[in-house]
C-alpha cells in the first residue's frame, strides 16, 4: 500500500524492502511485516496499514564463508 511505501521512504531512508507480508490482527487490523536491508544491516519492521511503526528490530547480516 501507498502509506507503507511512504513510511518506509520517510522513516527508513536508504533501506530497501527485501521481504513483505501482510498479517491480520484483531486489535490493529491489517499489519505489514517488512524485512528491510541497508548494506550489512537488516531490520524487521511491523507497520499498521497507515504506516505507523508498531515494532522494529535491527540485526547485522552475517558474513557467510570461511571462519
Amino acid at each position: 500500500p501507498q502509506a507503507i511505501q511512504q513510511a518506509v521512504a520517510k522513516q527508513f531512508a536508504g533501506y530497501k524492502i527485501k521481504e513483505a507480508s501482510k498479517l491480520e490482527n484483531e486489535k490493529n487490523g491489517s499489519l505489514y511485516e517488512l524485512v528491510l536491508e541497508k548494506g550489512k544491516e537488516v531490520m524487521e519492521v511491523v507497520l499498521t496499514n497507515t504506516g505507523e511503526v508498531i515494532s522494529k528490530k535491527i540485526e547485522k547480516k552475517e558474513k557467510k564463508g570461511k571462519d
Side-chain angles (χ1 to χ4, degrees):
Q2 187 69 25
I4 302 301
Q5 292 176 355
Q6 289 175 340
V8 170
K10 184 177 181 182
Q11 298 178 53
F12 304 103
Y15 283 87
K16 295 190 184 220
I17 298 173
K18 180 82 173 171
E19 293 178 35
S21 56
K22 184 177 180 180
L23 311 171
E24 292 298 327
N25 180 298
E26 286 184 24
K27 181 180 174 186
N28 297 312
S30 296
L31 297 176
Y32 295 87
E33 183 177 44
L34 307 177
V35 177
L36 307 174
E37 275 189 353
K38 181 179 179 183
K40 294 184 180 186
E41 195 170 270
V42 177
M43 187 181 307
E44 290 182 21
V45 182
V46 178
L47 302 158
T48 66
N49 59 357
T50 60
E52 179 186 347
V53 177
I54 298 287
S55 70
K56 65 180 174 180
K57 183 170 81 170
I58 299 173
E59 302 173 355
K60 295 285 182 190
K61 252 197 226 178
E62 292 187 21
K63 200 173 189 179
K64 293 181 182 178
K66 297 178 183 177
D67 289 337

